Structures are given as C-alpha cells and as structure tokens.
Amino acid sequence: MNNMHELKMAVTLEHQVVLTLENGDSVVGLPKWSSHPEKVQVRTIEGAVWLMLDEIKHVTRIIPFQ
C-alpha cells in the first residue's frame, strides 16, 4: 500500500500530511503513531485526532523547503 509508505515516511521525517478519508473529508496535520497499531494520531490546528488506518484513502506528504 503506497499510502502506508507515505504515512511511515511522514512520521519518520516529521512531515505534515493531508489525509483524504474514505468519507471525503480531509485532515491536515503532523502524524504520530498511536499506541494502537490500527490507528494514527494527527496533530491539527484544532487539536489531536485519532484515525483508523483503514479510513485513510490517500496520503499527501507536505515536504518543506529548507
């Protein structure tokens, strides 16, 4: 699954992501692994949200220029 690879890279490199969910919603923030292997925590401007991995339809990494 390419989405999982992009999500792992984002967590490792501390890149922000745009997650497109199966229901059409989008979540923007910094991903961190949850204590539950089937979930990921995303720190957004509004606060932290936990998402089930199977709810994620697409992952876009935001790679900063440095």
Side-chain angles (χ1 to χ4, degrees):
M1 175 193 272
N2 193 28
N3 285 334
M4 185 56 77
H5 175 73
E6 287 298 319
L7 190 56
K8 287 178 183 179
M9 292 293 293
V11 171
T12 301
L13 299 173
E14 297 182 350
H15 288 166
Q16 288 204 358
V17 292
V18 178
L19 302 177
T20 304
L21 306 180
E22 290 290 342
N23 66 5
D25 290 345
S26 293
V27 177
V28 179
L30 185 65
K32 301 280 184 189
W33 291 124
S34 168
S35 57
H36 300 282
E38 70 278 358
K39 293 183 180 182
V40 65
Q41 178 188 33
V42 182
R43 294 183 185 171
T44 70
I45 292 173
E46 294 85 19
V49 295
W50 288 262
L51 299 169
M52 300 294 290
L53 295 177
D54 62 2
E55 293 178 349
I56 300 171
K57 184 176 183 179
H58 185 77
V59 177
T60 302
R61 268 192 305 142
I62 301 172
I63 302 172
F65 289 111
Q66 295 183 347

